[in-house]
Amino acid sequence: MNDSPRRKELTRQAARLFVREGFDRTTVRMLAEEMGIKSGSLFHHFRDKQEILAAVIEAGTRNAIAIAHDALETCDRDPEARLHAMARAHLETLLTDRNAHVVALYEWRRLDDEARAHLAHLRDAYEALWEAVIDEALAAGLIHGDRFLVSRFVMGALNWTVRWYDPAGARSPDELAGELIGMLMAPRG
Amino acid sequence: MNDSPRRKELTRQAARLFVREGFDRTTVRMLAEEMGIKSGSLFHHFRDKQEILAAVIEAGTRNAIAIAHDALETCDRDPEARLHAMARAHLETLLTDRNAHVVALYEWRRLDDEARAHLAHLRDAYEALWEAVIDEALAAGLIHGDRFLVSRFVMGALNWTVRWYDPAGARSPDELAGELIGMLMAPRG
DNA sequence: GTCTATAGTCTGATAGAC
DNA sequence: GTCTATCAGACTATAGAC
């Protein structure tokens, strides 16, 4: 459909609900209430419930790419700094906003075939950022292992934080990022 | 309710469906069809849909504990061997059977408060096995980092394999386990 | 762009025969 | 232990007024 500011705001609110309840048990009535309108009005902005999910996932992935891109630009060529920046950016999109990126990761399977095909290149672009940074770290001897598997394991470790991270706890996303890459690097000295 | 062989078999079949479709979008009619009975008959074995989920998660976690326990018993006191055995056991419960353990991890949030309270000690017992093995590896200097965070990151990396692992691919759960702990250990030589 | 009203379908669960 | 039949409510989505 279109791409109005109104639709963007509605998408943002849908993301919060999808994170809290999960896509399947979020009803259009719940979405409408969260948005302050009646359920019938929702379908003026989105063709169906599926389209809302696709909009959330697209926004979440685009945002993750933008945040990661910025984080990489503001740090030098040091592989460790870049790895840290990437992990911190990833965790912030997941844990600080608790936003659309969580939906993109956890509700991907709920997309229909058409939407999945349409959004796959975005997801791939984000993962390509990760694999490039991990390649640099491997080449520098900072970490070691198979390129594909290291990427998957690192992203998995980060993605699963959503399930146990306590925002009221003592550790920030930045500290978590440091601990994760510290775990992968050979001890100093 | 009871604990008949019939109920156990029905629970096993429900697990397959919950993995494939997710709990929320699995209907009692789908469950009944998978079990070869009519939907009304289901409620002779389970009070409601929630109880089926609780049965699956209990079975999945008990099985994971049993498999892990056996794996640890059949290897010596070498911290690396124990870490490897634990990771392999975990991956096999997730990737080979594609069974109830996946449901336990991915649908935990769908349990009602009562079931969650009832099953928390089982989940904790399984995680305690992990933390003990990780403690040994830390004490031996095999890996390094914060005990709590290393546990969470390792389990996260393993749990997320469900989302990308291809059973038809080249790598076995055993190889994956080796790659993961290899990634955490300082390079030899 | 939002509303009311509702169509049409599916849902979890129950009752009672066999 | 399984069946048939069904209830009562919830669901997504649509139509048409404003």
Side-chain angles (χ1 to χ4, degrees):
Chain A
M1 274 188 180
N2 60 28
D3 203 37
S4 63
R6 180 83 174 115
R7 186 177 146 121
K8 282 190 178 174
E9 172 60 15
L10 296 177
T11 301
R12 206 184 59 79
Q13 289 174 299
R16 288 195 17 234
L17 214 39
F18 287 160
V19 170
R20 200 166 74 219
E21 302 289 337
F23 174 73
D24 287 327
R25 68 168 50 183
T26 301
T27 69
V28 294
R29 285 171 181 77
M30 291 161 68
L31 287 163
E33 193 177 15
E34 183 89 354
M35 299 164 178
I37 56 179
K38 299 296 180 181
S39 67
S41 309
L42 234 172
F43 296 93
H44 176 76
H45 302 278
F46 303 92
R47 194 191 320 149
D48 52 26
K49 195 185 164 193
Q50 265 288 323
E51 196 178 78
I52 307 180
L53 177 62
V56 169
I57 290 182
E58 174 164 355
T61 309
R62 285 196 193 282
N63 183 246
I65 290 173
I67 299 277
H69 195 264
D70 287 357
L72 290 178
E73 284 227 324
T74 60
C75 69
D76 58 16
R77 300 247 172 268
D78 176 48
E80 181 177 346
R82 291 171 73 77
L83 202 52
H84 187 113
M86 197 69 193
R88 187 191 60 228
H90 193 87
L91 286 174
E92 280 172 355
T93 64
L94 292 181
L95 306 175
T96 304
D97 306 337
R98 298 204 142 260
N99 69 355
H101 196 198
V102 177
V103 179
L105 294 171
Y106 279 87
E107 306 289 354
W108 179 266
R109 293 197 318 157
R110 304 278 89 103
L111 288 170
D112 58 30
D113 291 343
E114 189 190 331
R116 228 196 321 263
H118 180 250
L119 294 173
H121 76 281
L122 260 185
R123 183 204 51 189
D124 292 346
Y126 181 69
E127 294 184 353
L129 281 178
W130 260 109
E131 292 185 358
V133 169
I134 282 174
D135 265 345
E136 295 167 11
L138 288 170
L142 196 69
I143 60 178
H144 59 285
D146 176 81
R147 172 249 189 112
F148 174 80
L149 288 179
V150 171
S151 300
R152 295 287 152 183
F153 286 145
V154 168
M155 284 193 273
L158 292 172
N159 293 344
W160 201 258
T161 58
V162 171
R163 290 290 163 88
W164 56 264
Y165 181 70
D166 175 15
R171 291 169 173 111
S172 67
D174 183 64
E175 288 171 308
L176 251 53
E179 291 277 354
L180 177 65
I181 68 170
M183 184 178 84
L184 303 181
M185 299 187 318
R188 307 169 195 282
Chain B
M1 269 189 182
N2 60 28
D3 203 36
S4 63
R6 180 80 173 119
R7 186 176 147 121
K8 281 191 179 175
E9 173 60 14
L10 296 177
T11 301
R12 206 184 60 80
Q13 289 173 299
R16 288 197 15 235
L17 215 39
F18 288 161
V19 170
R20 200 166 73 220
E21 303 288 337
F23 175 72
D24 286 327
R25 67 170 49 182
T26 302
T27 68
V28 293
R29 283 168 182 78
M30 290 162 68
L31 287 163
E33 193 176 13
E34 183 90 355
M35 298 166 180
I37 55 178
K38 300 295 180 183
S39 66
S41 309
L42 234 172
F43 296 93
H44 175 77
H45 303 278
F46 303 93
R47 193 189 324 146
D48 51 26
K49 197 186 162 193
Q50 264 289 321
E51 196 178 79
I52 305 179
L53 178 62
V56 169
I57 289 182
E58 174 163 355
T61 309
R62 284 196 193 282
N63 182 246
I65 291 173
I67 299 278
H69 195 263
D70 287 356
L72 290 177
E73 284 226 324
T74 59
C75 68
D76 57 16
R77 299 246 171 268
D78 176 49
E80 182 178 345
R82 292 171 74 78
L83 203 52
H84 187 113
M86 197 70 193
R88 188 190 60 229
H90 192 86
L91 287 174
E92 280 172 356
T93 62
L94 293 181
L95 306 175
T96 303
D97 307 336
R98 297 206 142 258
N99 70 354
H101 197 198
V102 177
V103 179
L105 293 172
Y106 279 86
E107 307 289 354
W108 179 266
R109 292 196 319 158
R110 304 278 90 103
L111 288 170
D112 61 28
D113 291 344
E114 188 189 331
R116 228 196 322 265
H118 180 249
L119 294 173
H121 77 281
L122 259 186
R123 184 204 50 191
D124 292 347
Y126 181 69
E127 294 184 353
L129 282 179
W130 261 108
E131 292 185 357
V133 169
I134 282 175
D135 265 346
E136 295 166 11
L138 288 170
L142 196 69
I143 60 178
H144 59 287
D146 176 82
R147 171 250 188 113
F148 173 79
L149 288 179
V150 170
S151 301
R152 296 288 153 183
F153 287 144
V154 167
M155 284 193 272
L158 293 171
N159 293 344
W160 201 259
T161 59
V162 172
R163 291 288 163 92
W164 56 264
Y165 181 71
D166 175 15
R171 291 168 173 112
S172 67
D174 184 63
E175 288 170 307
L176 252 52
E179 291 276 353
L180 177 65
I181 68 170
M183 184 177 84
L184 304 181
M185 299 188 317
R188 306 170 196 281

